[in-house]
């Protein structure tokens, strides 16, 4: 049903490109900072191992067995009631919501590459005012940078799985890793390094609250791109003989390694200059630029490198958010890739402009619904409702609906019986129950 396949390493690179995104470099550090450091990291690592990895493999299994988009995968793989299970494919719409605000943030990052070169703020206060000012007053520049990020993303996807997505990942992912390693090497020479390592790796469980546990579980999901058919869509394009278990481990490992490296680099700077680790979402935009400023020209260079790495990470993830929906539209409605992208792109663009307007003081009124700004509505609906719901449905479907022997047949060449049993238990019970608890807590408490 689905034609184009990745080349060797293409799946691993593209999935790693999807997983490694703003979630790793922007979100993980600020969440760690807000949740007290080491203990949060331990919980995050445990969640990735016991819930994230199982679900990742479950999505790969569904993509690999069905070789199709998320809606058809449920239909094809359900032994009965296919017409009901297909509604689980609602998850292919989640991407439109995520993409609208994700590309706005990539737009901010583009602007910060420019700021890094010419206009680094000299104090945290100035940086706060400039970041806040950009988000709440600068309509035209924000639209410009958003449009740039949006156009770049759709242009890459329009080139197809191999020539577009794979190629971009083959180039950008190694570059991102190199930039991070350069930054890491530099960080090692600073005084803040050992403090950063202690902060991240010596857990103090007295600082952990139940909200930190919930945040870690939710983030494990977002960071591995789970719950919206992205990994399923990429797995549908996997070459036949690829070792799917090894590939899944590899992606989870790379994703975690990048988050931890980014965390060490960022906290080294924070501690080196005596700044506050718990700054919230502004951490990379507000607290890093003034720190870079103090380093003179070297700071400009590091800052450009840092925001470029962040932009690369964002673009490869944005591309992966588009693909499942495009795959669905071309499969289902026999649309050309171009037509699918134009249809989808128009919706995302309108959502994006509305989301952007909802942050602008003078335009807020036009983009606020039920008392909430559109940007927040998109973020909340996707991260707190749709992604966890998608993940839960996938876990239940793979754990209870797909025949066990079929799963065993596919996975047996790549894992021993013990590991298979562990995975099966996790996907049947630990994952759906874990995700359910997180969702209920996030929504009602
Ligand atoms: N995993 C990406 C990140 O960490 C975000 C993402 C979510 C990408 C869902 C695809 C699907 O930034």
């Amino acid at each position: 049903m689905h034609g184009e396949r990745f080349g060797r390493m293409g799946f691993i690179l593209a999935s790693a490109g999807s997983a490694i995104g703003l979630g790793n470099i922007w979100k993980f550090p600020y969440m760690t900072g807000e949740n007290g450091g080491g203990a949060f990291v331990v919980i995050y690592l445990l969640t990735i191992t016991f819930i994230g990895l199982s679900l990742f493999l479950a999505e790969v299994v569904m993509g690999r067995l069905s070789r199709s988009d998320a809606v058809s995968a449920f239909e094809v793989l359900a032994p009965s009631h296919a017409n009901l299970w297909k509604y689980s494919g609602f998850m292919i719409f989640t991407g439109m919501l995520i993409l609208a605000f994700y590309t706005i943030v990539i737009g901010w990052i583009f602007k910060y590459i420019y700021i890094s070169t010419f206009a680094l703020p000299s104090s945290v206060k100035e940086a706060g005012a400039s970041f806040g000012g950009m988000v709440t007053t600068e309509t035209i520049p924000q639209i410009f940078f958003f449009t740039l990020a949006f156009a770049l993303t759709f242009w890459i996807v329009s080139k197809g799985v191999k020539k577009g997505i794979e190629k971009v990942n083959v180039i950008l992912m190694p570059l991102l890793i190199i930039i991070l390693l350069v930054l890491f090497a530099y960080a090692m020479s600073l005084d803040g390094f050992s403090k950063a390592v202690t902060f991240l790796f010596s857990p103090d469980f007295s600082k952990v609250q139940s909200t930190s546990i919930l945040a870690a579980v939710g983030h494990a999901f977002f960071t591995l791109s789970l719950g919206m058919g992205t990994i399923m869509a990429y797995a549908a394009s996997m070459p036949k003989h690829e070792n799917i278990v090894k590939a899944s481990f590899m992606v989870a490992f790379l994703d975690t390694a990048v988050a931890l490296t980014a965390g060490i680099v960022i906290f080294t700077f924070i501690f080196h200059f005596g700044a506050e680790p718990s700054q919230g979402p502004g951490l990379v935009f507000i607290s890093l630029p003034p720190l870079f400023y103090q380093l003179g020209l070297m700071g400009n260079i590091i800052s450009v490198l840092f925001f470029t790495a962040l932009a690369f990470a964002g673009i490869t993830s944005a591309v992966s958010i588009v693909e499942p929906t495009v795959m669905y539209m071309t499969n289902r409605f026999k649309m050309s890739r171009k037509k699918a992208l134009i249809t989808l792109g128009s919706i995302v663009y309108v959502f994006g402009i509305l989301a952007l307007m909802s942050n602008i003081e003078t335009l807020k009124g036009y983009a606020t619904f039920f008392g909430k700004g559109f940007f927040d509505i998109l973020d909340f609906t996707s991260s707190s409702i749709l992604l966890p719901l998608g993940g839960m449905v996938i876990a239940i479907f793979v754990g209870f609906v797909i025949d066990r022997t079929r799963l065993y047949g596919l996975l047996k060449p790549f894992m021993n019986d013990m590991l298979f049993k562990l995975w099966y238990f996790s996907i049947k019970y630990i994952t759906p129950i874990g995700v359910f608890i997180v969702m209920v807590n996030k929504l009602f408490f």
Side-chain angles (χ1 to χ4, degrees), residues 18-19 21-24 98 102 222-225 228 230 317 320-321:
S18 166
L22 306 182
N24 303 60
I98 299 184
Y102 208 83
F222 185 83
T223 192
L224 287 176
S225 308
M228 54 159 282
T230 286
S317 298
S320 80
I321 302 176

Side-chain angles (χ1 to χ4, degrees), residues 15-27 94-95 98 102 219-231 255 313-314 316-322 324 387:
S15 308
S18 166
I20 299 168
L22 306 182
N24 303 60
I25 307 180
W26 165 63
K27 220 170 172 186
T94 310
I98 299 184
Y102 208 83
H219 186 61
F221 238 84
F222 185 83
T223 192
L224 287 176
S225 308
L226 300 171
M228 54 159 282
T230 286
I231 299 305
D255 186 73
T316 51
S317 298
V319 161
S320 80
I321 302 176
V322 181
L387 285 185

Side-chain angles (χ1 to χ4, degrees), residues 28-66:
F28 171 74
Y30 89 67
M31 289 178 83
T32 307
E34 275 182 331
N35 291 287
F40 177 81
V41 174
V42 170
I43 300 167
Y44 166 79
L45 291 178
L46 288 176
T47 322
I48 293 278
T49 315
F50 292 105
I51 293 185
L53 200 51
S54 307
L55 199 54
F56 192 96
L57 192 56
E59 278 206 37
V60 172
V61 164
M62 282 187 71
R64 189 61 186 68
L65 284 177
S66 69

Side-chain angles (χ1 to χ4, degrees), residues 20 52 70 85 95 99 144 156 187 197 199 219 230 232 246 250 263 274 278 364 386 417 428 437 443:
I20 299 168
W85 273 112
L99 199 63
F144 172 77
I156 294 167
V197 173
F199 180 69
H219 186 61
T230 286
M232 221 186 275
K246 206 165 134 195
M250 188 96 157
S278 57
K364 248 187 185 144
L386 296 174
D417 282 5
K428 254 181 132 100
I437 294 173
L443 294 178

